[in-house]
Amino acid sequence: MTTDPSFTIPAHPQRRFPHGSGVEYEGGTEFRLTPDAERATPELADTVVDILADGPYRYGDFHDLPMPLWLVRDEETADVFRVAVRDGTVRLHVLPTTEPDGLRRFFERLRASDAALSWSVQRHVDGR
């Protein structure tokens, strides 16, 4: 029996391109990774930056948002997803082509970043 969380993706978002306004996503899945001990958003964001910098990630952040947010590509699995830090959680946002392996590997690296912490994983699915 395993105690590792499942990163099964029951719903991928649908991508829409409204005229003149970029891209929008409708529906989808988000995984909320919450440490068992309270951590401030800046501390969690620093941890995410360290994980991304160690690789095997290519990533970019969004500077003009009220929360830390990165678009991430795992170069080993080719999975692309968004990572956000908000309200004491690290959130993995599934994109249309995201597969579970990239999410699972990011979680494993997050868990390894501080062996003293335990993490809970909650999956949230938005309908279309």
Side-chain angles (χ1 to χ4, degrees):
M1 185 170 114
T2 182
T3 59
D4 287 339
S6 171
F7 283 93
T8 302
I9 302 169
H12 283 81
Q14 296 297 310
R15 193 178 280 150
R16 296 181 334 137
F17 301 96
H19 181 70
S21 62
V23 64
E24 293 178 357
Y25 294 98
E26 190 174 297
T29 304
E30 173 187 88
F31 293 90
R32 295 181 186 170
L33 317 176
T34 307
D36 63 350
E38 189 173 320
R39 295 289 191 262
T41 294
E43 184 180 354
L44 285 175
D46 288 344
T47 300
V48 169
V49 167
D50 291 344
I51 292 168
L52 295 175
D54 285 346
Y57 299 106
R58 189 170 7 150
Y59 62 95
D61 62 349
F62 297 84
H63 295 285
D64 296 331
L65 296 176
M67 67 180 187
L69 178 67
W70 299 267
L71 181 62
V72 175
R73 176 185 164 90
D74 183 317
E75 292 294 340
E76 292 178 357
T77 66
D79 287 311
V80 178
F81 50 95
R82 288 189 317 247
V83 179
V85 179
R86 184 177 198 169
D87 300 330
T89 64
V90 176
R91 299 174 186 210
L92 306 180
H93 297 265
V94 172
L95 294 175
T97 61
T98 305
E99 294 297 329
D101 287 345
L103 303 174
R104 186 177 307 106
R105 290 168 55 92
F106 184 87
F107 174 70
E108 289 168 358
R109 291 181 177 108
L110 181 64
R111 190 167 47 183
S113 70
D114 186 344
L117 283 180
S118 293
W119 293 82
S120 67
V121 177
Q122 294 179 327
R123 180 178 63 195
H124 297 269
V125 180
D126 293 329
R128 292 190 247 291

